[in-house]
Amino acid sequence: PKSGLNLIKYLELENEPDRPWNSDLLKYTPEQFAALLSALWDGHEGRLGRYAGIKNADPNLKLVMSGLSSINLSYLDRMITWFKTNRSDKRICLDVANFHRYCNIKNPTNSPDIDLWEGRGISPEDDKLEGLLKEMVLYCKKNLPIGTEVWFSEFGYDTQPPSTVLSQYAKPYGIHTSEELQGQWILRTYLYSLSSGVDKSFMFNLCDENSATQ
């Protein structure tokens, strides 16, 4: 086996581990997910074996925290507490803090329950996205090691129903079509990401899907 070839730059484990729409059996608590990252980082300080962990294979490989389903800073805060409590080196085992958010009237922070099919896309301004992104970046810069990147790695809108989960289409109003609103709102989201200091932003994209045209 060969390792440390500098061929892979980033590795993201899992996706949306918080899963607020699922039962407890199908999601990670912040403590469980922090333990998983610690194991992947260096075999939890070598306790899982001499060669366990990506940092033992390639110290330059960056570990990306799975994108949380929303900008849930309390989830990350509990992860940080676990690292500091359960690792002798107090190391926070992630190179990239990663978050998702779909501007929607039914998203997790605007409603106690997530309605996967009856939501509706709203503008980034109506969702107060700029303030949320600034708060996210400020928290990460204050509480994570220097050099930790901050990613906003899922956002977007569909243009027609039925819609994909949590990214419902923009209901047309005035002279605007759904496609026009999609383009305007996505562009403004990128601008808010840049002004907020986010290191990388990724629009979620599906091509040739029967359900929607995100």
Side-chain angles (χ1 to χ4, degrees), residues 46-65:
R47 297 181 200 179
L48 300 180
R50 179 180 177 186
Y51 300 109
I54 66 170
K55 295 298 182 179
N56 290 320
D58 184 353
N60 296 318
L61 180 61
K62 292 186 177 182
L63 178 57
V64 181
M65 180 185 88

Side-chain angles (χ1 to χ4, degrees), residues 47-85:
R47 297 181 200 179
L48 300 180
R50 179 180 177 186
Y51 300 109
I54 66 170
K55 295 298 182 179
N56 290 320
D58 184 353
N60 296 318
L61 180 61
K62 292 186 177 182
L63 178 57
V64 181
M65 180 185 88
S66 305
L68 299 181
S69 64
S70 64
I71 301 174
N72 188 344
L73 299 179
S74 62
Y75 190 100
L76 178 56
D77 194 65
R78 285 173 57 183
M79 289 175 58
I80 292 171
T81 298
W82 188 94
F83 289 128
K84 293 181 176 179
T85 302

